[in-house]
Amino acid sequence: MRSVPTSGTRPDDARRHNRTALLRRLHVEGPCTRATLASELGLNRSTIKAVVDGLAESGVVTEAVPAQRTGAGRPSLLVLPEAHAAVVLAVDVRVDQVAMAMVGIGGQILGRHSWNLHRTTRLPGEVITHIAESAQLLRDELGVREQGVGVSVPGVVRRADGLVHEAPNLGWREVALGARLAAVLGSPTTVGNDGDLGALAEHVRGAARDASDLLYLSADVGVGGGVIVGGVPLRGSGGYVGEIGHMIVRPGGRACFCGEHGCWETEVGEPALCRALGLPEDTPRGVLVAELRDLEAHPGRLDLLAGVGEWLVTGLVTAVNMLAPELVVFGDLFAALPTALVDTIRDELHRRSLVSRAAGRTRIAVSPLGRDGKLVGAAELAFEPVLGAM
């Protein structure tokens, strides 16, 4: 990432560009020295000095001696982002829960709040009111005010204005979520599909930091996906990419919330995992995860998930042949699948996918972000315009 302005660029534009590039580097990669910033951003030392000094005077960054010193002589100071200098509100709306967090520059979670959703509390108005009340509680508790809001939703979202066309598992249709939240929160609000934001989180802070082409796949009540191509999120003309769970893999199969039959999520989503383990489909999430983890220590029971594994491979072969990702990341419930099953899926994918064989071998990784993945993605979505405006 080189930040040298092109010929003819106005000085103010060049300074703004360099400032944004430096902040983005610190936000994503963390503290480093001025020399490292100069090298990575392709700027000379005097330019770096001017940018860092300006940000320090504004209280956006500070400089400190590294906690661990190496070698003799005076150590170089580290440039650190001040977490409270830029704060966003991240919201992750799930089928069973809403999680919120105030996140500072650098990705530091300053405070969080969550609550469970039930059938009677999933109405859009109820969720919006609770988000507004919880946001005010976080503001008062932390003494901060967010500069932007990012929201993750398990549904088809129009990125331009945050209109949720349909979120089948929530029972939402044509909900102007972005506009309504912006009105009650008083902050710029951007809404994205949960799979899309899960991919963004993995690319910025998770298992795919070094991958340019990524397919993120997560299982909750439904199945969502997100795609990164050439380091850039694949969002489509209206921001509608991500409904991979509604790829039909079994014509005439089980009825899906979307109105179709045989969607991928009906064969590999949370209810399918419960059925495979002999559990009721409404088994609490914690119990299901514990059962999946238990299989790790009892490989003789892995046959219980053979059917789910087969359907996972079936869908993945199609997705990989179409998108040719170098890396597939499993998130949410898929991250709890036994290692032996993930290894089998990886081998079968390579055997059955023409593209995987041609590319050498498609890698599969498990998300390290846990249940916070979509929350992290929502924060990064909110930070995109905030960093550019600082």
Side-chain angles (χ1 to χ4, degrees):
M1 179 175 67
R2 300 187 67 86
S3 300
V4 177
T6 57
S7 177
T9 302
R10 292 183 299 177
D12 286 348
D13 291 339
R15 281 192 291 269
R16 188 178 301 109
H17 174 76
N18 292 336
R19 184 181 174 104
T20 299
L22 189 149
L23 281 174
R24 182 71 185 170
R25 162 58 178 81
L26 294 176
H27 173 67
V28 174
E29 303 293 341
C32 64
T33 64
R34 293 189 182 201
T36 299
L37 288 171
S39 174
E40 292 187 3
L41 299 181
L43 299 171
N44 60 48
R45 289 177 179 269
S46 62
T47 300
I48 288 294
K49 181 181 185 305
V51 176
V52 171
D53 287 349
L55 290 171
E57 290 174 7
S58 303
V60 179
V61 304
T62 188
E63 292 185 275
V65 176
Q68 294 183 344
R69 303 188 183 188
T70 59
R74 183 179 178 182
S76 298
L77 296 177
L78 291 177
V79 182
L80 302 88
E82 288 281 10
H84 287 77
V87 177
V88 301
L89 176 65
V91 183
D92 178 19
V93 180
R94 293 172 173 261
V95 175
D96 61 342
Q97 185 187 72
V98 176
M100 297 173 52
M102 285 288 188
V103 184
I105 187 171
Q108 181 180 343
I109 294 181
L110 306 175
R112 62 168 75 214
H113 183 61
S114 64
W115 66 94
N116 292 331
L117 288 180
H118 305 285
R119 190 174 299 277
T120 56
T121 59
R122 286 184 198 148
L123 294 175
E126 293 278 346
V127 173
I128 290 168
T129 297
H130 206 150
I131 288 174
E133 292 172 347
S134 296
Q136 191 58 52
L137 288 173
L138 283 171
R139 292 166 182 163
D140 294 342
E141 176 188 339
L142 300 169
V144 299
R145 174 82 188 204
E146 76 279 354
Q147 293 168 248
V149 181
V151 187
S152 168
V153 180
V156 181
V157 179
R158 187 166 65 198
R159 179 60 63 87
D161 59 3
L163 176 72
V164 180
H165 280 293
E166 189 169 2
N169 293 318
L170 284 171
W172 291 7
R173 291 181 63 88
E174 305 302 323
V175 178
L177 187 62
R180 291 172 67 175
L181 278 176
V184 298
L185 294 173
S187 299
T189 301
T190 309
V191 184
N193 168 267
D194 62 343
D196 186 16
L197 297 189
L200 177 63
E202 295 299 330
H203 187 55
V204 176
R205 302 196 181 276
R209 297 181 68 154
D210 298 324
S212 296
D213 300 288
L214 152 75
L215 169 62
Y216 171 78
L217 189 66
S218 69
D220 201 328
V221 172
V223 170
V227 183
I228 303 285
V229 177
V232 178
L234 181 64
R235 292 170 175 166
S237 59
Y240 302 135
V241 173
E243 293 303 325
I244 197 168
H246 296 288
M247 172 174 60
I248 296 176
V249 297
R250 191 173 190 171
R254 288 179 176 270
C256 179
F257 281 106
C258 75
E260 267 292 353
H261 288 75
C263 291
W264 196 18
E265 71 177 43
T266 65
E267 301 296 337
V268 298
E270 183 174 3
L273 287 167
C274 287
R275 293 193 303 269
L277 296 175
L279 302 171
E281 289 189 3
D282 59 354
T283 295
R285 167 66 64 87
V287 174
L288 175 56
V289 170
E291 288 289 325
L292 289 171
R293 299 292 190 198
D294 185 64
L295 293 180
E296 195 78 55
H298 298 89
R301 299 179 61 213
L302 278 179
D303 285 349
L304 293 173
L305 295 180
V308 171
E310 173 61 25
W311 285 114
L312 256 174
V313 173
T314 298
L316 271 176
V317 167
T318 299
V320 168
N321 281 344
M322 289 177 60
L323 300 169
E326 61 183 286
L327 175 67
V328 175
V329 179
F330 283 171
D332 283 329
L333 285 172
F334 288 152
L337 293 175
T339 303
L341 180 60
V342 175
D343 290 342
T344 298
I345 292 170
R346 182 185 297 110
D347 292 342
E348 282 297 295
L349 175 62
H350 180 66
R351 184 179 69 83
R352 292 165 55 180
S353 166
L354 177 67
V355 168
S356 181
R357 293 197 303 273
R361 178 179 287 265
T362 303
R363 294 183 291 135
I364 297 180
V366 172
S367 170
L369 300 176
R371 200 156 165 81
D372 277 348
K374 278 73 176 283
L375 198 64
V376 171
E380 293 305 319
L381 180 69
F383 267 119
E384 286 178 3
V386 168
L387 292 176
M390 292 183 68

